Amino acid sequence: MSDFPGAPDSSASALPGGRLRVLAAMSGGVDSAVAAARAVEDGHEVTGVHLALASNPQSFRTGARGCCTLEDSRDARRAADVIGIPFYVWDLAERFREDVIDDFVAEYAAGRTPNPCLRCNEKIKFAALLDKAVALGFDAVCTGHYARIIDEPARGRTLHRAVDPAKDQSYVLGVLDADQLAHAMFPLGDTPKGQVRVEAEQRGLAVAKKPDSHDICFIADGDTQGFLAQRLGSATGEIVDVDGTVVGEHSGAFGFTIGQRKGLRIGRPAADGKPRYVLDISPVDNRVTVGPVEALDIAALSGVKPRWCGEQTPVGTGRYHAQLRAHGEPVPVTAEIDADGGLRVVLDEPVRGIAPGQAVVLYDGTRVVGSATIATTERSVHQQA
């Protein structure tokens, strides 16, 4: 007996005609609804599931923030009814708290800047959800992410950027390994977002004009510093200039990110009169170092916990493009990958404000090679006077 109602018999043979048993993750937004509808249209046997990730979901979202409200669950159910597929709500709140929220807080406490969307894809949507789906007899998990999967003769199944560069989400999917890609389905990767909304309206989906969710879904009001302060408490510390001079005071180093300019509350202006930016966060002595914007220029970085997309693991030195932020521009780099998985990336030109804890994703053209967590950064030797 399955503990997931409506799941196929895991012992059943494959469906005829290349049809798959697909579990469609439906967030309650327009993208996942259209993705599920397309999977049905392609002839697959589709079941919709909404992931309940909040222990105490709000009744209504605040603006366009979040994707885990009761309203979203109801929107997903209504979309499934219109599409004509079975629909269930799956409670993953505890797993989400452990793998995403607790990790988010711990990373900030350690002076790093995490990406919770990337961690959610790795640990929830393509680990907890996918593992359960495969165990229950589903062949694939379908989501509304904007990315493409291409079968290449020499490399097997590979992950690529979406055709719509403004909506491309391959950066946050760069943590997927070959086995996860083998069971992933992204029906929207070849379609511009505007066309997806038009299609949703033509299909009679009420979410056609629903605003996209943004920011961090579990911080509905957008106050990241307040969220962290509730969990980490306050701890008064020093704000120092690059020469060690104390220029201010803060109530918790976790409230800062590399490259931050606003909200520093520095009482003493810089000698040159120019604004100062956060250069370093030291959780050991609860100290925040600030300095000129030129000091944010990064020439190289090291990565840990690499995850490679596809069947081949790259080794040695190669030329790639690297994306260092979710919405950042790719930059040309030389990457050195050793046999033990260590990664060093040398940038052709310095990039400003890269923080440990963020992800570096390597690309070969549109193909995602893999992802790693930035562990250390090396500043550019040349800085403007």
Side-chain angles (χ1 to χ4, degrees), residues 347-371:
L347 310 173
D348 284 16
E349 298 290 339
V351 174
R352 189 160 286 174
I354 303 304
Q358 295 175 327
V360 52
V361 178
L362 299 179
Y363 291 83
D364 179 8
T366 63
R367 180 175 66 90
V368 181
V369 177
S371 171

Side-chain angles (χ1 to χ4, degrees), residues 3 6 10 59-60 77 116 149 163 187 222 244 254 261 263 299 315 334 369-370:
D3 60 354
S10 59
S59 295
F60 295 97
R77 183 179 295 278
I149 294 177
V163 298
F254 58 80
R261 174 186 173 184
V315 176
T334 298
V369 177

Side-chain angles (χ1 to χ4, degrees), residues 72-321:
D72 293 316
S73 176
R74 292 164 184 160
D75 285 344
R77 183 179 295 278
R78 284 191 287 266
D81 288 343
V82 171
I83 298 168
I85 59 175
F87 177 82
Y88 304 94
V89 176
W90 199 342
D91 184 1
L92 288 178
E94 184 175 352
R95 180 73 180 266
F96 183 77
R97 177 184 58 77
E98 294 173 354
D99 288 343
V100 179
I101 298 177
D102 290 353
D103 174 79
F104 178 84
V105 175
E107 286 292 284
Y108 266 102
R112 296 185 288 267
T113 305
N115 185 314
C117 293
L118 188 147
R119 195 65 58 230
C120 181
N121 284 326
E122 177 188 0
K123 299 291 187 179
I124 304 299
K125 294 174 184 174
F126 293 96
L129 176 63
L130 180 57
D131 289 349
K132 191 71 169 176
V134 172
L136 292 173
F138 290 97
D139 301 300
V141 166
C142 168
T143 74
H145 286 100
Y146 285 82
R148 292 176 295 152
I149 294 177
I150 298 175
D151 289 311
E152 300 183 30
R155 296 191 179 96
R157 202 163 166 82
T158 56
L159 178 67
H160 288 253
R161 288 190 182 277
V163 298
D164 185 344
K167 295 301 296 181
D168 174 60
Q169 292 174 294
S170 60
Y171 174 85
V172 295
L173 295 170
V175 291
L176 303 187
D177 60 24
D179 184 61
Q180 291 168 328
L181 284 178
H183 297 283
M185 182 182 291
F186 306 128
L188 306 187
D190 61 352
T191 310
K193 178 58 179 271
Q195 187 175 327
V196 169
R197 288 198 180 278
V198 171
E199 181 178 330
E201 193 161 10
Q202 291 172 341
R203 292 181 181 276
L205 297 169
V207 292
K209 296 181 180 180
K210 184 175 180 178
D212 291 338
S213 60
H214 62 84
D215 294 330
I216 301 170
C217 69
F218 53 86
I219 306 179
D221 61 4
D223 183 8
T224 301
Q225 188 165 350
F227 176 87
L228 292 168
Q230 287 182 345
R231 286 153 179 79
L232 297 174
S234 61
T236 302
E238 296 175 339
I239 300 176
V240 301
D241 216 331
V242 288
D243 61 3
T245 303
V246 177
V247 295
E249 190 177 85
H250 64 77
S251 58
F254 58 80
F256 298 85
T257 57
I258 301 295
Q260 179 179 336
R261 174 186 173 184
K262 296 181 179 180
L264 300 183
R265 299 189 299 276
I266 297 175
R268 182 184 303 178
D272 60 7
K274 295 181 179 179
R276 284 175 286 202
Y277 298 77
V278 174
L279 304 180
D280 185 61
I281 302 165
S282 175
V284 176
D285 54 14
N286 197 27
R287 175 174 288 189
V288 175
T289 301
V290 297
V293 67
E294 295 84 6
L296 289 170
D297 287 346
I298 299 300
L301 58 89
S302 67
V304 295
K305 301 178 182 177
R307 291 176 65 87
W308 305 112
C309 292
E311 298 174 359
Q312 299 178 356
T313 299
V315 176
T317 301
R319 292 287 295 169
Y320 303 95
H321 276 79

